[in-house]
Amino acid sequence: MLKLKLMLNQQLANITRRLHNNFYLYLSALLTVLVLLDASVFHVGENMRDRAFDMMVKNRIIVPKPDADIVIVDINEASLSAMSAEYGRWPWPRQVLGEFLENIEAQQPKAVVFDILFSDPDIYNPDSDAYFNEVIAGTQNTFFPMLRLAEESDQLSQITPNMIPGIKRTGADQSNTAKPIAIVLPHLEAALNSEHLGTHNIYPDKDGIVREYKLWHDESGWILPSLPLAVANFTKANAADLPQNMLINWRGKPFTYQFATFSDVYTDMASKVKKRPANEFKDKIVIIGSTAPSLFDLKATAMAKAHPGVEILATAIDNIKHDDYLKVWRGKTPYILMSLTLVWLTALAFFRNIDRDKVTRVFSSSQIILITLSYLAINFTNTYLDLTGPITWAVLYFSVAKIYALANDRAMQRLLANDVESGKKGAAILLMPIMFETREPLSDSLLKKLQYKIEQQTQRHATVEILKGTQSGIWGLFSDMIIVSWAYAHDNEAEASKATQEATQLGTQLNQLIQGTGIPEDTTARYTLHSGTLNTEKPMANQWRGLFAQAIIKLDILEAS
């Protein structure tokens, strides 16, 4: 095991000697290639926004308020229970919805939006269907959903976009033939011919969380609008230049909007003595949908695990109406520039051997600042700064570089110990204490710069350590000092000669090395060489202290006399 440790440390030390600090540049070059590949091919980091976005949007301090003119008439569990005695469980006869729509229209709402798909006829109540169809035909502001099915089913469909009233072309596809699309349309003729149709599909991300709303489907040049987009175009809201997939600017947790229970409103409308305001829905956008769990229209969103689909629809309408949906600061160019800037700045800090503690503090602070900036942006603006990808690359680089630096230090420390422990009779040690005398103690960063330069000059496996002189008064026993040590077999004269030659050469270049580090010009540096032998059969700590003490005495007394 000892031989294996020695071999591993030796190999790591050899690699470090060859690479020097160029490892950090090679690592940054590798990550540059990976960033470019990801931006052009994989798009993993570029779209790595989900978890960070969820956390930020869910914990915002400044949350936009829901539009007071959007009201959800809720077919909730209470409504299902209250109306079951007369109309049975859901679905109710469409006469109920016809009566409801007729009474709502009397209050002159701005729009009435059904979040209910009327895909099939009511074969048991055809007169009920006819009545509902008649009421719809008498309105001009009622909207109905259509459901876009999976594209894999298109070949089984006989419906083409040009068969759907109100669907327009963009001119992008000039072919005369409209391709079939798999879609479920309203069965009611008046609803189909109203030209107030829109998809109400809600598409979650790959993790099952809803974060965006698809505002339209492009069917080979034919545009199928969503319900929110259809309502916006009708009410003359800001519906221009909208993205196809809108990042939802949530108004809060579920049940943030104004809700009215369907059974309560319906009962009050049929009552001679009205308890609800006569103009309750005047100039409102009224959305009729369900939050009842038994009707299975609950979705997982960034705000909650079970968010009513009707409220997601309301939020999308609200976002378009106020033009405050979230704009995402991302894309290939910003992603590449930000990622490479963070990686190469970190690489430069490691390459120039800047104080590692300082690098760690600055790096940690910078990441916190970027995250804080993103959080402030989503609170005070309608922009989400998607910095997750660049920060991830920077953290990846920093982690690898930090591990390499620590492993390198550890290997060099263990190398000397292994050299000593591997000798049966002992190992020879050459110590070179270098003492700096200044008016003020040298900073850690200056000493580490000089430490790095000395490591660059030593071709053999020398260990370079820093000793700080921090005591004052009569206890000021040491000045700032760097200790360079070489270990070699006690009976290897060739290795001893090479170590002495390398130490002597380092001594002649010492002043030149000092000049390039920023150490004050009035600093004086003294050094000496002292050798000794350590015996593994005796306590190592005592021998090291004795050898070190002899070197210091030689430096301070013998060499100074």
Side-chain angles (χ1 to χ4, degrees), residues 330-535:
R330 62 176 177 177
K332 183 181 296 185
T333 301
Y335 167 67
I336 292 175
L337 291 178
M338 179 63 74
S339 299
L340 296 186
T341 298
L342 293 177
V343 166
W344 279 97
L345 285 177
T346 309
L348 184 62
F350 277 96
F351 178 76
R352 298 191 63 179
N353 212 44
I354 298 175
D355 184 357
R356 290 176 192 164
D357 292 336
K358 183 182 293 184
V359 171
T360 301
R361 289 195 301 270
V362 172
F363 180 83
S364 301
S365 300
S366 66
Q367 307 312 299
I368 294 173
I369 289 172
L370 290 175
I371 294 174
T372 302
L373 181 63
S374 181
Y375 181 70
L376 292 175
I378 205 172
N379 273 276
F380 292 98
T381 71
N382 296 324
T383 301
Y384 172 58
L385 299 179
D386 186 12
L387 305 177
T388 312
I391 289 176
T392 300
W393 285 114
V395 170
L396 176 62
Y397 179 91
F398 180 82
S399 300
V400 175
K402 188 74 172 179
I403 290 172
Y404 172 82
L406 293 175
N408 177 45
D409 290 346
R410 179 65 175 170
M412 297 305 294
Q413 293 170 4
R414 289 295 304 166
L415 185 62
L416 179 59
N418 288 336
D419 286 344
V420 173
E421 293 171 5
S422 62
K424 297 298 182 182
K425 298 297 183 181
I429 302 296
L430 176 62
L431 288 182
M432 182 181 181
I434 306 171
M435 184 175 294
F436 303 96
E437 295 178 343
T438 58
R439 295 181 180 179
E440 298 293 335
L442 298 178
S443 66
D444 291 342
S445 60
L446 290 178
L447 287 173
K448 287 184 178 181
K449 284 182 180 180
L450 185 56
Q451 180 188 28
Y452 169 66
K453 286 181 172 291
I454 293 175
E455 289 174 345
Q456 297 290 90
Q457 291 296 320
T458 56
Q459 300 300 316
R460 299 187 71 260
H461 306 305
T463 300
V464 184
E465 299 288 348
I466 296 174
L467 293 181
K468 287 287 293 178
T470 56
Q471 291 81 18
S472 60
I474 61 173
W475 298 107
L477 302 179
F478 298 104
S479 300
D480 292 326
M481 183 180 300
I482 288 181
I483 306 293
V484 188
S485 57
W486 291 261
Y488 45 88
H490 70 285
D491 55 356
N492 193 328
E493 295 183 2
E495 287 294 316
S497 177
K498 288 180 181 179
T500 303
Q501 182 180 356
E502 190 172 276
T504 303
Q505 185 178 0
L506 176 61
T508 60
Q509 297 176 341
L510 191 58
N511 289 330
Q512 183 179 354
L513 294 176
I514 291 175
Q515 292 175 1
T517 59
I519 291 178
E521 296 180 356
D522 60 350
T523 300
T524 59
R526 296 186 294 112
Y527 73 92
T528 190
L529 300 178
H530 181 71
S531 61
T533 302
L534 300 180
N535 194 321

Side-chain angles (χ1 to χ4, degrees), residues 94-392:
R94 287 173 185 162
Q95 177 184 350
V96 175
L97 298 173
E99 293 173 354
F100 188 87
L101 176 60
E102 193 171 21
N103 283 282
I104 286 287
E105 287 289 345
Q107 296 188 25
Q108 299 180 336
K110 183 175 292 185
V112 178
V113 184
F114 279 93
D115 190 27
I116 303 169
L117 185 63
F118 301 104
S119 58
D120 300 302
D122 188 346
I123 58 176
Y124 298 106
N125 299 283
D127 292 340
S128 179
D129 261 10
Y131 171 69
F132 189 26
N133 188 74
E134 182 180 346
V135 173
I136 295 171
T139 67
Q140 297 181 344
N141 62 346
T142 309
F143 294 81
F144 297 89
M146 50 185 176
L147 180 65
R148 179 62 166 102
L149 302 179
E151 293 182 3
E152 291 78 6
S153 303
D154 285 354
Q155 58 183 349
L156 303 176
S157 176
Q158 297 181 353
I159 300 175
T160 56
N162 59 321
M163 297 170 59
I164 305 175
I167 301 305
K168 300 178 181 179
R169 301 183 66 177
T170 62
D173 187 354
Q174 299 299 326
S175 62
N176 294 324
T177 304
K179 299 178 181 179
I181 57 173
I183 192 167
V184 179
L185 299 173
H187 165 72
L188 300 166
E189 182 179 355
L192 184 62
N193 294 328
S194 68
E195 299 189 0
H196 289 167
L197 303 178
T199 60
H200 69 158
N201 296 68
I202 296 177
Y203 298 99
D205 290 338
K206 291 181 180 180
D207 59 357
I209 305 298
V210 175
R211 300 180 180 89
E212 297 181 334
Y213 203 100
K214 193 162 191 172
L215 295 182
W216 75 80
H217 295 76
D218 187 346
E219 305 295 346
S220 301
W222 297 84
I223 299 301
L224 296 181
S226 65
L227 268 179
L229 185 58
V231 173
N233 289 328
F234 175 78
T235 59
K236 308 301 181 183
N238 298 314
D241 300 324
L242 291 170
Q244 184 174 13
N245 293 294
M246 178 182 70
L247 187 60
I248 300 174
N249 191 358
W250 301 101
R251 279 16 184 181
K253 295 181 179 180
F255 300 99
T256 298
Y257 282 86
Q258 181 180 347
F259 277 78
T261 300
F262 183 95
S263 58
D264 292 345
V265 177
Y266 183 79
T267 301
D268 189 76
M269 288 177 174
S271 175
K272 294 182 179 180
V273 180
K274 308 293 184 183
K275 297 182 179 180
R276 304 181 73 92
N279 60 347
E280 182 178 3
F281 302 106
K282 182 178 177 57
D283 295 327
K284 306 288 187 181
I285 297 177
V286 181
I287 305 175
I288 303 171
S290 174
T291 66
S294 61
L295 298 187
F296 306 106
D297 191 24
L298 299 176
K299 312 290 183 182
T301 69
M303 303 303 298
K305 293 181 179 179
H307 209 127
V310 64
E311 194 163 18
I312 298 174
L313 172 63
T315 307
I317 294 174
D318 198 350
N319 282 189
I320 299 176
K321 181 181 179 182
H322 294 278
D323 192 29
D324 65 350
Y325 62 91
L326 292 176
K327 288 79 174 177
V328 188
W329 186 85
R330 62 176 177 177
K332 183 181 296 185
T333 301
Y335 167 67
I336 292 175
L337 291 178
M338 179 63 74
S339 299
L340 296 186
T341 298
L342 293 177
V343 166
W344 279 97
L345 285 177
T346 309
L348 184 62
F350 277 96
F351 178 76
R352 298 191 63 179
N353 212 44
I354 298 175
D355 184 357
R356 290 176 192 164
D357 292 336
K358 183 182 293 184
V359 171
T360 301
R361 289 195 301 270
V362 172
F363 180 83
S364 301
S365 300
S366 66
Q367 307 312 299
I368 294 173
I369 289 172
L370 290 175
I371 294 174
T372 302
L373 181 63
S374 181
Y375 181 70
L376 292 175
I378 205 172
N379 273 276
F380 292 98
T381 71
N382 296 324
T383 301
Y384 172 58
L385 299 179
D386 186 12
L387 305 177
T388 312
I391 289 176
T392 300

